[in-house]
């Protein structure tokens, strides 16, 4: 989003399939790591080699601000379980290989996010970045964004696991401004108030 103020918000990019947090959860499930996947993958990634596996970085064209993580998720699946119909033997997953897969997956996610954020900053003339949602707790993402040339703001870790606090805060802003949704509001609430 390009945010001019709490009530001046414009959607400039979105996901066309799996959001990054969803990809983390699905890859963690694929690897048998449990739910939620983000914290577990992040911890294992710290002990792995981010260059061990060359996973794809889907950028959707040189100007796109949209995200797609389904191909990356599929690449992890094929790396771990093999490509259907190829009958190549798959080596058993060692603890170090698991850590390397996690680190390589996370490196691909972080690279895509940071490239898209740089594009968005340039296009929108942004002077800062605000990160939210569950993936905002990710140490790899936080470290990469610490290298940005503009200020990057993260919520406290206590507010990174659940969007309820963010939703309630935004609801209060809209309530105070007298902006209310009709009773037929659907689950995609950003469409109601975002230009």
């Amino acid at each position: 989003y390009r945010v001019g103020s709490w009530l001046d918000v414009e959607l400039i990019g979105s996901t066309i399939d799996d959001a990054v947090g969803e990809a983390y959860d699905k890859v963690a499930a694929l690897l048998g790591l449990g739910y939620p996947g983000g914290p577990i993958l992040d911890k294992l990634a710290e002990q792995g080699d981010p260059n061990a596996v060359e996973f794809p970085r889907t950028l959707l064209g040189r100007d796109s601000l949209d995200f797609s993580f389904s191909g990356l998720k599929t690449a992890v699946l094929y790396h771990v379980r093999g490509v259907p119909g190829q009958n190549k033997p798959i080596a058993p997953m060692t603890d170090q290989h698991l850590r390397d897969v996690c680190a390589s997956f996370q490196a691909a996610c972080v690279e895509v996010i940071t490239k898209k954020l740089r594009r968005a900053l340039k296009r929108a003339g942004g002077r800062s970045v605000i990160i939210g949602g569950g993936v905002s707790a990710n140490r790899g993402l936080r470290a990469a964004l610490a290298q940005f040339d503009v200020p990057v703001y993260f919520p406290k870790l206590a507010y990174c696991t659940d969007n309820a606090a963010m939703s309630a805060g935004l609801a209060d802003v809209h309530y105070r401004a007298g902006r209310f949704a009709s009773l037929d509001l659907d689950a995609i609430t950003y469409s109601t108030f975002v230009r």
Side-chain angles (χ1 to χ4, degrees), residues 75-99:
V76 174
L77 172 69
Y78 289 169
H79 177 79
V80 172
R81 296 193 183 162
V83 178
Q86 287 196 352
N87 296 332
K88 287 185 181 177
I90 301 298
M93 175 92 58
T94 65
D95 288 345
Q96 186 57 50
H97 187 220
L98 174 64
R99 291 189 289 267

Side-chain angles (χ1 to χ4, degrees), residues 22-78:
E22 184 180 3
Y24 268 86
D25 289 339
K26 288 180 178 178
V27 167
L30 163 71
L31 297 172
L33 299 176
Y35 180 87
I40 302 164
L41 276 167
D42 188 26
K43 183 175 182 178
L44 290 170
E46 280 191 316
Q47 304 161 16
D49 177 1
N51 300 307
V53 184
E54 190 174 333
F55 288 129
R57 272 79 164 151
T58 304
L59 297 173
L60 301 173
R62 67 176 14 179
D63 296 323
S64 175
L65 296 179
D66 292 328
F67 293 94
S68 172
F69 290 100
S70 65
L72 173 58
K73 178 190 69 184
T74 301
V76 174
L77 172 69
Y78 289 169

